[in-house]
Amino acid sequence: MAGRSPAARLFIMADEFAAAGREAVPSLGAGHLPRAAGATIEERDMQEDTDLEAAWAAFCDRLKVAGRTVLRPEAPAADLDRAEGYRYLTRLLRAGLERSVEFADPDFPVFYALSHETIKIGSDNPDNVYRNAVISGDRRYRITGRLGNAELLSFGTKADGLSADGDILSTGEIDIGAMAVDADGRFELIVARDPQPGNWLPMTQASSMLLVRETHGPRTGRIPAEMTIACLDGPVRPRPLAAATLAAALEKTAAFVDVTAGVFADWMVRFQEQPNRFSEIDQAEWRRIGGDPAIFYLWGYWTLEPDEALLIESEVPACRYWNVQVNNYWDESLDYRHFQIHHNNRTARPEADGRVRILLSHQPMAGWNYVETAGHRCGAIMWRWVSADAHPIPRCQVVKRADLAPLPG
C-alpha cells in the first residue's frame, strides 16, 4: 500500500481482498444492522449473532491488511525491525480497543493513555505523561485536578481522524500558564463550544478527543498531576452495549491500527530520502497529525553502520523546553526505561558557548551527551523546540566512532 493516501488505505476494495485470497470486508457502520419489521425477539437475536459474526470476521481481516505495512519494500527487513513492526501493530490494537471500545462513551469519559511505556505512537515523547479522553462536541465537560511537578502542562481538543484519514485537527488549546490555579495547585477547567467563565478550553461540533500533554524534565522524581473529567449534561447512567455499537467499535479499532501504521510508514518514506538529517517540513503538517501548536517539530531518518556515529550540534534559543529522542523505524520511542535514548534541556550538558552536542552511537562514549541505538541500525529521530524565540535546524554529521575522543566528565 506504499504511496496511498491514508484515506485510500481506509477503503480496501473487494478485488484487493480477492487477490489476497480473502473475501471482501463488509462495511460495519452504526446503521449496518437492519431489523425486519415485526421480527420476533428470537429472530432479532439470531440476526444480531449473524451480524456480530460478520463484524468480527471483518475486524480480523482488516488487521491482516494492517500487517502488510510491516512488509512494505522500503521497510527494513532485519529480524529486530520486523519483530518490532508486528509488536507495534499489537500495541496499536491495544490502544485502539481502549479508544473505541473500553473508553469510547463521550457521556462517561475517562482519562486513558494512547502513548506510554509500552504503547508508542508517532514519536511519543519520553518526557511526557499523556492523557486522552473521548468527548463529543455537543456536550460540556469539567476537568478537575491538582498539579504535580511537571514543567509543562497543556490541554487540547481535537477532531480525531485516526480511524479515517489519519488527521488529528486542533479545535482548541490552553496551557496551564494561562489558567487560574489556587495556592494548593488545584484547578478546574470547563471544556465547551461556547465561552465559559474562568478556565475555558474551546472545542467545536467536530471535537471528539481531548489530549493532555504533561512534560517533565528528569524522568526520576516526577510527580504527575492528578485529574479527572466528567460530562456535565449527559445521561445519568450509560446505555447497555448494543450489537451495532460494538460492530462499529470493532470497525473503528481495526481502521485505527491500519491507518495509523500506514500514516507513519508514509512519513518514514519521506525521511529516508534525506538520511541523517532533520527534515524542514511545514509545521502545519505536524499540527495536522495532532502536533501541539507551541512545539516546533524536527523529524528525520537515521541509519548508521556498526562503526559509525551521528554527531548532532545546535545552537539553543531561548525556550521553555527542548528535547531530542531516538525512535525505531516504526516511529516508536526506543525503550527509555532501560536505555539512554533521549536528552532535554535539563539533562544535556551544554558547551561553553551555549551550543549543545548530541552523539547518537551504537556504544556509549564517555563525557558525551550520548543517545544509543539500542541494537538498531536505522530509525527515526525527533527534535522539539517548545515556545522558542527561534528554531535552528540541528546540524548532523556521520563520523567514525574511532575518530572520536572521550570528553572530560
Side-chain angles (χ1 to χ4, degrees), residues 30 53 66 117 229 246 249 265 280 288 296 408:
E53 182 181 8
E117 291 177 340
I229 181 171
L246 180 61
E280 300 180 42
R288 200 180 67 241
F296 191 93

Side-chain angles (χ1 to χ4, degrees), residues 198-247:
N199 298 324
W200 170 51
L201 173 59
M203 65 174 177
T204 69
Q205 188 65 35
S207 300
S208 56
M209 179 208 288
L210 193 145
L211 172 60
V212 183
R213 289 182 173 92
E214 181 180 5
T215 306
H216 296 256
R219 286 186 51 78
T220 57
R222 63 168 55 177
I223 302 174
E226 302 170 359
M227 64 183 74
T228 59
I229 181 171
C231 183
L232 297 179
D233 40 21
V236 175
R237 293 189 296 179
R239 295 175 295 276
L241 181 64
T245 301
L246 180 61

Side-chain angles (χ1 to χ4, degrees), residues 122-123 125 128 130 154 158 211 213 271 278-300 323 325 381-386 391-394:
S123 198
N125 187 346
N128 277 3
Y130 291 99
S154 65
K158 311 289 181 180
L211 172 60
R213 289 182 173 92
F271 301 147
F278 289 98
S279 298
E280 300 180 42
I281 295 177
D282 188 338
Q283 293 298 298
E285 295 198 53
W286 305 132
R287 288 192 285 274
R288 200 180 67 241
I289 57 172
D292 189 322
I295 302 176
F296 191 93
Y297 297 91
L298 294 162
W299 228 322
N323 87 330
Q325 69 180 76
I381 189 166
M382 163 71 80
W383 195 295
R384 297 173 178 87
W385 301 115
V386 179
H391 307 111
I393 310 299

Side-chain angles (χ1 to χ4, degrees), residues 304-311 359-368 370-373 397-407:
L304 295 171
E305 295 299 322
D307 63 340
E308 294 178 334
L310 187 65
L311 180 59
L359 186 69
L360 171 60
S361 175
H362 297 294
Q363 297 87 27
M365 283 288 289
W368 288 83
Y370 161 72
V371 289
E372 57 188 301
T373 63
Q397 180 184 1
V398 176
V399 296
K400 295 294 184 181
R401 187 174 180 276
D403 296 336
L404 297 172
L407 297 177

Side-chain angles (χ1 to χ4, degrees), residues 190-202:
I190 301 298
V191 186
R193 293 195 311 272
D194 300 323
Q196 303 288 311
N199 298 324
W200 170 51
L201 173 59

Side-chain angles (χ1 to χ4, degrees), residues 147-159:
L147 301 181
N149 62 358
E151 300 186 11
L152 303 171
L153 179 61
S154 65
F155 301 81
T157 58
K158 311 289 181 180

Side-chain angles (χ1 to χ4, degrees), residues 118-367:
T118 61
I119 295 178
K120 299 160 179 277
I121 301 175
S123 198
D124 54 291
N125 187 346
D127 293 329
N128 277 3
V129 175
Y130 291 99
R131 295 177 183 85
N132 302 82
V134 173
I135 58 175
S136 175
D138 59 3
R139 299 291 196 223
R140 295 176 302 129
Y141 301 89
R142 177 187 290 115
I143 299 171
T144 55
R146 185 175 186 179
L147 301 181
N149 62 358
E151 300 186 11
L152 303 171
L153 179 61
S154 65
F155 301 81
T157 58
K158 311 289 181 180
D160 178 7
L162 282 174
S163 293
D165 57 8
D167 289 351
I168 311 175
L169 303 179
S170 175
T171 56
E173 308 283 342
I174 190 170
D175 184 272
I176 194 65
M179 292 170 50
V181 179
D182 73 13
D184 293 326
R186 300 183 186 278
F187 64 89
E188 181 178 287
L189 175 63
I190 301 298
V191 186
R193 293 195 311 272
D194 300 323
Q196 303 288 311
N199 298 324
W200 170 51
L201 173 59
M203 65 174 177
T204 69
Q205 188 65 35
S207 300
S208 56
M209 179 208 288
L210 193 145
L211 172 60
V212 183
R213 289 182 173 92
E214 181 180 5
T215 306
H216 296 256
R219 286 186 51 78
T220 57
R222 63 168 55 177
I223 302 174
E226 302 170 359
M227 64 183 74
T228 59
I229 181 171
C231 183
L232 297 179
D233 40 21
V236 175
R237 293 189 296 179
R239 295 175 295 276
L241 181 64
T245 301
L246 180 61
L250 291 175
E251 181 183 34
K252 287 184 65 176
T253 298
F256 169 83
V257 175
D258 187 19
V259 173
T260 302
V263 164
F264 291 104
D266 286 347
W267 279 106
M268 289 303 294
V269 173
R270 295 177 65 179
F271 301 147
Q272 284 174 286
E273 295 174 357
Q274 296 180 311
N276 296 318
R277 58 167 293 179
F278 289 98
S279 298
E280 300 180 42
I281 295 177
D282 188 338
Q283 293 298 298
E285 295 198 53
W286 305 132
R287 288 192 285 274
R288 200 180 67 241
I289 57 172
D292 189 322
I295 302 176
F296 191 93
Y297 297 91
L298 294 162
W299 228 322
Y301 170 80
W302 64 269
T303 178
L304 295 171
E305 295 299 322
D307 63 340
E308 294 178 334
L310 187 65
L311 180 59
I312 307 168
E313 185 176 60
S314 181
E315 294 74 28
V316 178
C319 61
R320 295 176 66 187
Y321 162 87
W322 66 263
N323 87 330
V324 60
Q325 69 180 76
V326 187
N327 306 329
N328 64 13
Y329 182 84
W330 312 109
D331 216 22
E332 302 177 290
S333 66
L334 299 184
D335 187 357
Y336 48 79
R337 298 170 300 176
H338 302 112
F339 299 92
Q340 178 64 53
I341 64 94
H342 79 297
H343 273 293
N344 60 42
N345 52 297
R346 293 283 300 278
T347 64
R349 185 182 66 181
E351 303 293 311
D353 59 5
R355 292 176 301 160
V356 65
R357 288 198 294 178
I358 304 292
L359 186 69
L360 171 60
S361 175
H362 297 294
Q363 297 87 27
M365 283 288 289

